[in-house]
Amino acid sequence: MSKDNTSFYAVLGILDAGAGSGYDIKKAIEYEIGFYYKISNGQIYPTLGILASKGYATVDIEKNEGKPDRKVYSITETGREIFREWLLRPVNYHNPGGNELLLKLHFGASAGAEHNMTLLADHMGIKKRELGRFNEIASYLNIKTAVTQQEIYSYIALLYGQTLAEANIAWCGEAMKILKAMEGKAGSND
Amino acid sequence: MSKDNTSFYAVLGILDAGAGSGYDIKKAIEYEIGFYYKISNGQIYPTLGILASKGYATVDIEKNEGKPDRKVYSITETGREIFREWLLRPVNYHNPGGNELLLKLHFGASAGAEHNMTLLADHMGIKKRELGRFNEIASYLNIKTAVTQQEIYSYIALLYGQTLAEANIAWCGEAMKILKAMEGKAGSND
DNA sequence: TGCCACATGTAAGATGTTACATGATTCT
DNA sequence: AGAATCATGTAACATCTTACATGTGGCA
């Protein structure tokens, strides 16, 4: 329902790759995408409830001795559609939480290289424009002309922006190269 | 009261630099640190109320014709202490929101270069450890041995982590150089 | 003996966004 | 005529974290 509920789609994406319980999903997220995306029980379990109530997932209960029964969730066709819709939407850069681009790339493996190339090209464009703005500011906020300490700290912040934007641009280039190579391989010998 | 309420300290930090109304504060944040930190009215105005109720700020009302009266807030001594306490606390890297390090560097201008050097050294250490972990993963998740598409996408995510960690490390180095140079200048001719 | 893995979940609160209400004045 | 600037604020909601409750079985 909501536009940008990242955790909603993260859970749905994990289910898209295979059925599992809340516990399984937590482990999968930690293991697969844990380094750029975190999730807590307080999000997973309510999300699974919503998923089931909307018909995006079905539940199977597995009896478990001594432990609570495992509630194993499977994605439905509707769920898949909803998930694909999200995958194909452009990345929301206002979303302050986790790295939506990496999340979409991760889940987009099966969605084909083309779409991911677009996501990367978009990202590169955004970072290039960002870098352009920083460079413009740098032309008058120069370290050589900086006098006050405040100016120096502002310059350091600017440098951060420039450095990170450049790193993003470089990464996009590399990633696109890799995807291009992969497409070539897939086309020629698979 | 809360541990990591970034917006609370951002507002307090702006007030530390000079008294102002909610409107002024919003403008100041947009202008000074807008590129890495955002704030909305829904945060500013309640925060100012809390600040006043806790005795961290006092209010002066300026009559304004045709417009609502300006409520000009000034930081108190207690407010300053609370703010300094935050400044000297290490950066909370679990905080998902805005870039706390840049915020502290920005406000830390008056707190002296030494503390900021420590913040940068800490940051560098964290990013170096992060990079070490990524490199370790890279040793077995290698692009040459990647077979499945999923492996390739995981590799791209890893590359992102590496590239950004390296950029952070490089930036820290530059920033520390700048601060060192500044200290030298301050010592020799000011 | 105590902690970790398994497995479910909830309650409370922190933090933030979006969109609205109000209304005069000044610029385009 | 309409948009922007000035200036206050609130209400609803979205999102997420922290900490707890509950309990077994296995390993050190």
Side-chain angles (χ1 to χ4, degrees):
Chain A
M1 199 82 288
S2 43
K3 279 189 313 195
D4 301 315
N5 193 333
T6 321
S7 66
F8 183 92
Y9 293 104
V11 169
L12 202 50
I14 296 288
L15 287 183
D16 189 38
S21 68
Y23 192 87
D24 298 337
I25 290 166
K26 180 127 188 268
K27 290 286 148 190
I29 288 179
E30 275 167 13
Y31 180 75
E32 291 173 29
I33 54 182
F35 90 78
Y36 57 85
Y37 185 75
K38 316 268 172 221
I39 198 163
S40 63
N41 282 358
Q43 278 177 278
I44 287 178
Y45 288 103
T47 298
L48 286 171
I50 293 166
L51 248 33
S53 77
K54 298 219 178 201
Y56 301 164
T58 54
V59 199
D60 273 303
I61 293 173
E62 286 179 7
K63 289 286 165 196
N64 227 351
E65 303 221 349
K67 297 167 207 165
D69 294 347
R70 274 170 62 79
K71 293 172 75 174
V72 178
Y73 292 81
S74 308
I75 196 167
T76 62
E77 256 327 297
T78 323
R80 274 208 170 91
E81 273 164 40
I82 294 288
F83 183 64
R84 297 249 171 270
E85 235 170 63
W86 173 77
L87 261 188
L88 298 179
R89 276 210 296 273
V91 170
N92 170 24
Y93 283 93
H94 297 289
N95 195 339
N99 199 320
E100 209 184 304
L101 173 62
L102 284 195
L103 211 56
K104 287 200 181 193
L105 283 179
H106 176 84
F107 289 128
S110 58
E114 242 169 297
H115 176 63
N116 294 318
M117 290 283 254
T118 310
L119 290 184
L120 284 165
D122 288 353
H123 188 70
M124 198 186 225
I126 285 167
K127 291 296 165 179
K128 278 186 172 170
R129 253 169 286 140
E130 220 176 89
L131 183 59
R133 282 201 302 277
F134 290 147
N135 288 341
E136 213 179 298
I137 298 172
S139 68
Y140 58 84
L141 179 68
N142 193 294
I143 189 63
K144 284 166 201 151
T145 61
V147 191
T148 64
Q149 294 212 348
Q150 188 53 72
E151 278 174 323
I152 289 172
Y153 283 97
S154 296
Y155 179 78
I156 288 174
L158 180 65
L159 202 57
Y160 178 86
Q162 287 178 313
T163 309
L164 274 277
E166 279 163 4
N168 269 275
I169 293 165
W171 167 72
C172 282
E174 279 305 308
M176 288 168 85
K177 252 194 244 169
I178 292 170
L179 290 189
K180 223 170 270 173
M182 186 184 80
E183 274 185 313
K185 255 201 223 170
S188 71
N189 69 14
D190 207 356
Chain B
M1 197 84 287
S2 42
K3 280 189 312 193
D4 302 315
N5 193 333
T6 321
S7 66
F8 183 92
Y9 293 105
V11 169
L12 203 49
I14 296 288
L15 287 183
D16 189 38
S21 67
Y23 192 87
D24 297 338
I25 290 166
K26 179 126 189 268
K27 291 284 150 192
I29 288 179
E30 275 167 13
Y31 180 75
E32 291 173 30
I33 54 182
F35 90 79
Y36 57 85
Y37 185 76
K38 316 268 171 222
I39 198 164
S40 63
N41 281 0
Q43 279 178 277
I44 287 178
Y45 288 103
T47 297
L48 286 172
I50 292 167
L51 247 33
S53 78
K54 298 218 179 201
Y56 301 165
T58 54
V59 198
D60 274 303
I61 292 171
E62 286 179 7
K63 289 284 166 198
N64 228 349
E65 303 221 348
K67 296 168 209 165
D69 295 347
R70 274 170 61 79
K71 294 172 76 173
V72 178
Y73 292 82
S74 308
I75 196 167
T76 62
E77 257 327 297
T78 322
R80 274 208 169 92
E81 272 163 41
I82 293 287
F83 183 64
R84 297 250 171 269
E85 233 170 67
W86 174 78
L87 261 189
L88 298 179
R89 275 210 295 274
V91 171
N92 170 23
Y93 284 93
H94 297 289
N95 195 337
N99 198 320
E100 209 185 304
L101 172 62
L102 284 194
L103 211 57
K104 287 200 181 192
L105 283 178
H106 176 84
F107 289 127
S110 58
E114 241 169 299
H115 176 62
N116 293 317
M117 290 283 255
T118 311
L119 290 183
L120 284 165
D122 287 354
H123 188 70
M124 199 186 225
I126 285 167
K127 291 296 165 179
K128 278 186 173 171
R129 253 169 287 142
E130 220 176 270
L131 183 59
R133 282 201 301 277
F134 290 147
N135 288 341
E136 213 180 298
I137 298 172
S139 68
Y140 58 85
L141 180 68
N142 194 293
I143 189 62
K144 285 167 201 150
T145 61
V147 190
T148 65
Q149 295 212 348
Q150 189 53 70
E151 278 173 323
I152 289 172
Y153 284 98
S154 296
Y155 179 78
I156 287 174
L158 180 65
L159 201 57
Y160 177 86
Q162 286 178 313
T163 310
L164 274 275
E166 279 162 5
N168 268 276
I169 293 165
W171 168 73
C172 282
E174 278 305 307
M176 288 167 84
K177 253 194 245 170
I178 292 171
L179 289 189
K180 222 169 270 175
M182 186 184 81
E183 274 185 313
K185 254 200 224 170
S188 70
N189 68 16
D190 206 355

